[in-house]
Amino acid sequence: MARSRLTAAVAVLATVAAGTAAVPASARTAPEKAAACGAFFDDFSYSSRTDPAFTAHDWSIRTSAGGPGVGGATWAASNISFPTVDGQKSLQLRATTNGTAGGTTHAQVQQNRQRFFEGTYATRFKFSDTPVSGNDGDTVNQTFYTISPLRYDWDPIYSELDISEYLPNGGWGETSATNFFTSWNTYQADPFDGWRATTARRQSHAGWHTLVATVSGGHVKYYVDGALVADHTTDDAGRTVYPRQAMTLNYNQWFIDLNGHSGGTSVWAQSADWVYYAKNEVLTPSAAAARVASYRSAGTAHADTISC
């Protein structure tokens, strides 16, 4: 698995603010207190990408050129929408291609500030094995991840957690559906070379899944639907892959290359029902889901107490 991450790291940080001081987990003695302080939740109940509440909640849409993905492709704001998907209001990202760089569009949504570090990340995510329309076969990548800027090659504090990079048609040496869970130490942009620990889950992930990652005590653990699929500490050379600084929170969908395209225009979609982050707190997947259910039962569509 190899791809340039430099432009992606820069693009997600158009607005960067210093992270706030962490609240020790020991200070949170009751579940209700932890739910009320040091958390981020979004139910993606926006009317459209131009809904003022969307930007007010510190989200933005990437439109800047560059990698990852197909060189010359467009990162299109029009690929972001908030339809009802399977009965739930959702964030949806589309990616399209006609087999040419100029006819290819990607999509990316991000939280603008580096505020996400240790704790628990969770999202309910709908992967797609086939396009919404057009021919199948594209090497598309459907993702949920955190990232910090790469200041220079082999930046020692670069941090990135790929909580899911799903390739329904393979890619990066895979020939069938594969989900990569990757924790990064750092990398060199050109020629690409990187240090990371990665786990490949080789099976279809089509449909809705709950993705959870916990970051604590030197371990990054990844879960799909409650099952532990990876526990990363170091890469094969013994270098830590535990994040070293706060990161932004991101979703994107892009094409690795155009080699699998077989004609016409293909349109791919991925959706997110909700996202949740508990700062400095390790939750089981079921406990994270319970927190989300609590917000939703109370009619809370958005909450942001990361700074408390």
Side-chain angles (χ1 to χ4, degrees):
M1 180 176 63
R3 72 272 193 255
S4 172
R5 302 295 294 186
L6 178 60
T7 311
V10 173
V12 300
L13 293 163
T15 305
V16 175
T20 55
V23 178
S26 60
R28 302 177 185 175
T29 57
E32 60 272 16
K33 184 176 182 182
C37 185
F40 177 84
F41 170 71
D42 205 308
D43 205 22
F44 295 128
S45 298
Y46 302 105
S47 60
S48 71
R49 67 178 182 277
T50 59
D51 188 332
F54 181 62
T55 51
H57 293 160
D58 208 36
W59 293 105
S60 64
I61 298 170
R62 178 181 175 181
T63 57
S64 58
V70 175
T74 299
W75 293 84
S78 59
N79 281 347
I80 307 301
S81 61
F82 294 91
T84 297
V85 180
D86 300 329
Q88 296 292 337
K89 191 76 169 175
S90 301
L91 163 67
Q92 188 170 92
L93 296 86
R94 293 199 171 200
T96 69
T97 187
N98 65 3
T100 71
T104 297
T105 67
H106 298 154
Q108 181 167 313
V109 167
Q110 61 269 330
Q111 277 284 296
N112 294 312
R113 289 175 288 165
Q114 288 178 255
R115 302 188 297 155
F116 301 88
F117 186 33
E118 293 177 305
T120 301
Y121 299 82
T123 190
R124 184 170 181 254
F125 196 97
K126 187 176 185 180
F127 297 106
S128 300
D129 274 3
T130 57
V132 173
S133 62
N135 294 339
D136 196 359
D138 296 308
T139 48
V140 67
N141 189 349
Q142 302 167 2
T143 80
F144 173 56
Y145 65 103
T146 63
I147 197 169
S148 73
L150 183 81
R151 299 171 299 171
Y152 47 82
D153 284 350
W154 307 116
D155 183 350
I157 62 170
Y158 176 74
S159 301
E160 178 183 351
L161 304 176
D162 296 330
I163 299 170
S164 267
E165 285 192 300
Y166 182 54
L167 283 52
N169 289 314
W172 295 329
E174 300 293 332
T175 58
S176 60
T178 303
N179 202 347
F180 285 106
F181 308 86
T182 306
S183 309
W184 288 79
N185 178 284
T186 189
Y187 72 95
Q188 171 183 278
D190 189 19
F192 179 83
D193 189 15
W195 299 336
R196 72 269 195 195
T198 189
T199 298
R201 195 172 191 239
R202 296 177 176 90
Q203 64 186 69
S204 171
H205 289 64
W208 288 103
H209 297 278
T210 300
L211 311 174
V212 172
T214 62
V215 181
S216 179
H219 290 256
V220 182
K221 298 182 180 181
Y222 299 91
Y223 300 82
V224 177
D225 298 330
L228 179 66
V229 297
D231 182 351
H232 294 163
T233 55
T234 61
D235 67 6
D236 291 341
R239 294 174 288 246
T240 183
V241 294
Y242 195 79
R244 276 132 290 142
Q245 62 174 311
M247 300 163 285
T248 61
L249 184 71
N250 308 262
Y251 296 89
N252 67 14
Q253 183 173 220
W254 46 279
F255 299 98
I256 295 171
D257 54 46
L258 300 175
N259 298 336
H261 194 72
S262 58
T265 297
S266 298
V267 180
W268 290 81
Q270 66 182 47
S271 303
D273 182 12
W274 49 259
V275 64
Y276 175 70
Y277 168 69
K279 186 173 83 172
N280 292 343
E281 191 176 13
V282 176
L283 300 176
T284 64
S286 60
R291 294 278 178 86
V292 171
S294 178
Y295 282 118
R296 299 182 98 171
S297 64
T300 302
H302 175 83
D304 186 347
T305 60
I306 293 179
S307 61
C308 72

